[in-house]
């Protein structure tokens, strides 16, 4: 099911976590944050919206890391209903796509709920104080798949290249000491696959 990101209020502190990455190391918020900020991306292995942007995101992540901005990806999907998103597949996905950043497994989905993540991909940028600076889309490009339109929103653009324009603008503004860019447009993607009884009322 198509979802648009919730976009929690700017200035919200980044919720802490302790999750295992695909190299079997436990990672916390402090251990993945860079000196100048942090990008948190909720993704999964199979979502066409993730696959559409993932290679460009890996390139973008390397640029962020070179500028002192940490990057972390988190998968929260129900692996019983979607075994292609399980930990073994996560390990393979991270290697195949050349991840230079930790890829964490949120098995009980508590971190997704804490961040109010709804879709894959869902992006959050936190400043050096780990307060939310940007929440929204990587850019306006979307994959060419058969999805119904979201009521009240314009059709998804499938004719645009993947550039990371919105995220790049946000990182540039943050590092320059400028105000958060406006408007911040919601990300769009597949809904997070919630465990039975876990789906929050706002999802």
């Amino acid at each position: 099911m198509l979802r648009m990101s919730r976009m929690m209020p700017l200035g919200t502190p980044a919720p802490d976590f302790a999750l295992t990455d695909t190299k079997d190391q436990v990672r916390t918020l402090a251990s993945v944050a860079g000196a100048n900020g942090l990008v948190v991306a909720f993704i999964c292995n199979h979502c066409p919206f993730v696959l559409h942007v993932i290679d460009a995101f890996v390139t973008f992540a390397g640029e962020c890391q070179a500028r002192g901005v940490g990057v972390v990806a988190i998968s929260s999907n129900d692996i019983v209903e979607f075994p292609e998103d399980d930990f073994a597949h996560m390990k393979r996905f991270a290697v195949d796509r050349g991840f230079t950043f930790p890829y964490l497994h949120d098995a009980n989905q508590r971190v997704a709920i804490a961040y109010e993540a709804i879709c894959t991909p869902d992006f959050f940028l936190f400043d050096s104080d780990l307060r939310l600076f940007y929440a929204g889309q990587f850019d306006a490009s979307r994959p060419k798949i058969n999805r119904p339109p979201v009521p009240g929103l314009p059709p998804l653009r499938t004719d645009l290249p993947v550039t990371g324009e919105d995220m790049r603008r946000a990182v540039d503004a943050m590092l320059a000491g400028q105000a958060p860019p406006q408007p911040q447009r919601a990300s769009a993607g597949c809904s997070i696959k919630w465990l039975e009884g876990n789906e929050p009322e706002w999802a």
Side-chain angles (χ1 to χ4, degrees):
M1 182 181 298
L2 181 66
R3 285 284 187 267
M4 307 298 289
S5 60
R6 181 174 170 82
M7 302 173 66
M8 61 185 179
L10 299 184
T12 300
D16 202 358
F17 52 77
L19 298 173
T20 302
D21 70 9
T22 53
K23 296 182 179 179
D24 298 311
Q25 299 180 23
V26 175
R27 302 284 191 157
T28 64
L29 178 66
S31 73
V32 298
N36 296 327
L38 175 66
V39 173
V40 178
F42 286 86
I43 66 170
C44 67
N45 308 327
H46 83 277
C47 172
F49 286 83
V50 172
L51 296 176
H52 182 65
V53 302
I54 193 62
D55 291 332
F57 179 73
V58 170
T59 298
F60 166 77
E63 296 168 0
C64 286
Q65 291 169 312
R67 302 173 77 182
V69 178
V71 179
V72 66
I74 301 173
S75 179
S76 304
N77 274 0
D78 175 4
I79 63 172
V80 175
E81 292 294 324
F82 294 86
E84 61 267 52
D85 289 332
D86 69 14
F87 199 48
H89 285 85
M90 285 176 60
K91 290 183 174 183
R92 188 175 309 130
F93 190 69
V95 171
D96 289 348
R97 297 292 178 164
F99 283 16
T100 59
F101 47 87
Y103 188 18
L104 314 183
H105 186 208
D106 178 24
N108 59 22
Q109 303 183 326
R110 291 176 184 166
V111 177
I113 291 171
Y115 278 76
E116 301 185 18
I118 291 180
C119 59
T120 53
D122 211 347
F123 299 102
F124 303 84
L125 173 64
F126 296 89
D127 63 20
S128 58
D129 294 323
L130 295 179
R131 292 188 174 274
L132 188 65
F133 187 85
Y134 174 84
Q137 64 183 15
F138 188 57
D139 58 31
S141 179
R142 302 291 187 263
K144 294 181 179 179
I145 57 176
N146 184 22
R147 292 277 180 174
V150 177
L153 293 176
L156 300 179
R157 293 292 300 273
T158 62
D159 59 337
L160 300 175
V162 181
T163 63
E165 177 183 6
D166 292 74
M167 287 291 295
R168 291 178 190 281
R169 184 184 301 118
V171 170
D172 288 346
M174 183 182 75
L175 295 179
Q178 299 172 358
Q182 296 294 339
Q184 299 198 359
R185 296 179 175 88
S187 184
C190 300
S191 62
I192 288 179
K193 312 309 181 188
W194 299 103
L195 298 166
E196 185 175 356
N198 253 17
E199 183 172 0
E201 62 181 18
W202 40 258

